[in-house]
């Protein structure tokens, strides 16, 4: 059961978050050849002040991150 987590700065509307979640679900379902009911998606707002410690240092810098951002902290 794949779970997709998106962490981003706050400020996007719930409508936009829902559109993103649906697009990720659609892509993951097609790519992994699994029905949509096998997936879950969450979106977490992380403040800019907490980004480095919460996301960059713990997740992005991890060896399991397949696509790294074009910025460094």
């Amino acid at each position: 059961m794949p779970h997709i987590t998106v962490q981003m700065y706050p400020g996007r509307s719930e409508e936009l978050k829902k559109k993103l979640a649906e697009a990720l679900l659609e892509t993951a379902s097609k790519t992994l050849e699994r029905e949509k009911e096998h997936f879950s998606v969450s979106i977490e707002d992380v403040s800019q002040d907490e980004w480095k410690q919460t996301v960059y240092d713990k997740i992005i810098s991890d060896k399991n991150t397949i696509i790294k951002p074009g910025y460094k902290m």
Side-chain angles (χ1 to χ4, degrees):
M1 299 298 197
H3 177 74
I4 300 165
T5 302
V6 176
Q7 294 172 300
M8 61 185 177
Y9 287 171
R12 279 107 177 164
S13 69
E14 291 302 313
E15 179 183 338
L16 188 59
K17 290 177 186 179
K18 184 173 170 62
K19 286 174 72 173
L20 174 60
E22 289 170 352
L24 292 169
L25 174 63
E26 183 71 31
T27 299
S29 174
K30 286 180 180 177
T31 302
L32 297 176
E33 300 176 348
R34 288 282 183 243
E35 297 299 319
K36 292 178 184 177
E37 58 266 10
H38 292 272
F39 296 85
S40 55
V41 179
S42 64
I43 297 179
E44 176 185 354
D45 288 337
V46 179
S47 72
Q48 187 173 0
D49 294 342
E50 297 174 349
W51 188 263
K52 183 177 184 320
Q53 180 181 359
T54 304
V55 180
Y56 192 86
D57 291 346
K58 290 184 178 179
I59 299 170
I60 293 173
S61 62
D62 184 271
K63 66 180 180 185
N64 292 323
T65 299
I66 295 171
I67 300 173
K68 303 242 184 206
Y71 64 87
K72 300 221 184 263
M73 298 192 102

